[in-house]
Amino acid sequence: TADMQKKKTRAAIRNEAANGRKNLRGTLAMARTGEVDSATSQFFVNLRDNPFLDHGGRDFGYAVFARVTDGMDVVDKIAAVETGNRAGHQDVPVKPVTIIEVRTE
C-alpha cells in the first residue's frame, strides 16, 4: 500500500517468463520473490532494455505481460520522483505515486 503495509492478495500465479517476450524499455513485467512462481499483484515498468531479466538470462526470468503504447513520458516522470528509505525498503518515492487509470487498446 502507499503507507508500505502489506496488502491481501490472491494466490501467486505461474511464471510465464518463457513466453518469448523480452524485458525491453516500456514493457511491464510481474515482480516476484526468489521463488519462480510467486508473483501476485506487483509489477514494474522497464525503464531501459533489461535482457538479464529475460527467461534464461538469470534463473527463470520475469514475465513480461504488456507494454506502454502511449504515455512513456509519464512513466519517465514517475521514475524521476525523489526517493528515499522507508519501512525497511530502499528507493521508495518520498511522496506516494498512485496510478489512477490505465487504458488498453
Side-chain angles (χ1 to χ4, degrees):
T1 63
D3 61 355
M4 303 302 291
Q5 298 300 308
K6 188 173 183 175
K7 68 178 187 175
K8 187 173 182 163
T9 63
R10 295 182 181 168
I13 60 173
R14 183 174 62 84
N15 188 331
E16 297 181 355
N19 64 15
R21 295 185 175 134
K22 304 293 183 192
N23 282 277
L24 302 174
R25 175 172 163 77
T27 59
L28 283 72
M30 292 302 297
R32 63 178 178 84
T33 68
E35 188 171 323
V36 172
D37 296 324
S38 61
T40 55
S41 64
Q42 295 181 349
F43 66 92
F44 59 92
V45 180
N46 284 290
L47 299 175
R48 63 175 188 235
D49 293 355
N50 289 305
F52 73 97
L53 298 178
D54 294 339
H55 176 62
R58 59 174 286 153
D59 56 50
F60 196 81
Y62 290 76
V64 171
F65 65 90
R67 69 181 174 89
V68 176
T69 58
D70 187 37
M72 195 62 192
D73 59 319
V74 175
V75 174
D76 289 331
K77 287 177 185 174
I78 292 169
V81 301
E82 182 182 357
T83 63
N85 298 333
R86 190 163 49 131
H89 299 279
Q90 297 175 326
D91 204 23
V92 176
V94 172
K95 294 180 183 175
V97 175
T98 303
I99 298 172
I100 307 249
E101 181 180 17
V102 175
R103 297 181 190 167
T104 61
E105 294 181 350

